[in-house]
Amino acid sequence: MSKFVFIYHAPMTPAEAAPPAPEDMAAVMEQWNVWAGKVGNGLIDFGTPLANGVRVSPGGATAPSQREVAGYSIIEADSLEAAVELAKIHPHLTMPGGCEIEVHEAQQIPGM
């Protein structure tokens, strides 16, 4: 089994969006929990919303992140293909505004 990081992109971060009604938030979280149930024990880290990304360049220069990263999750799956299939059924993709998920395979640290 390999680890995969899901990076959630959205037109705005959860902190920038209008706060949803409690019943709407409960319905969205129920969809996420159903997805988590499909992943099962392979869900290593459910993740969290992210906001206020800052790029740091050599020399210490900083600038706002160029891409809105709305959150992340970490899963284990048998292959990249299996991880991508789990991303394809993720409720994040049903959110308005053209949300996307990037799937990245975690690699071993060289020399470790």
Side-chain angles (χ1 to χ4, degrees):
M1 297 272 260
S2 296
K3 289 183 183 174
F4 297 89
V5 179
F6 284 24
I7 305 293
Y8 305 116
H9 295 287
M12 63 181 65
T13 66
E16 297 168 329
E23 59 274 9
D24 293 339
M25 180 52 69
V28 168
M29 288 312 301
E30 177 60 24
Q31 292 175 356
W32 278 65
N33 288 325
V34 167
W35 176 82
K38 292 176 182 176
V39 178
N41 291 335
L43 186 59
I44 303 300
D45 184 346
F46 190 83
T48 185
L50 299 172
N52 303 318
V54 176
R55 289 182 297 131
V56 179
S57 299
T62 62
S65 178
Q66 293 179 329
R67 190 132 195 234
E68 284 302 338
V69 176
Y72 77 95
S73 296
I74 301 173
I75 70 163
E76 278 187 334
D78 290 329
S79 65
L80 175 60
E81 293 77 17
V84 167
E85 290 304 313
L86 289 168
K88 287 180 179 180
I89 62 167
H90 198 290
H92 179 74
L93 298 176
T94 65
M95 295 175 60
C99 295
E100 299 176 335
I101 301 173
E102 288 185 51
V103 179
H104 296 267
E105 184 173 6
Q107 301 290 296
Q108 289 192 324
I109 299 171
M112 296 292 287

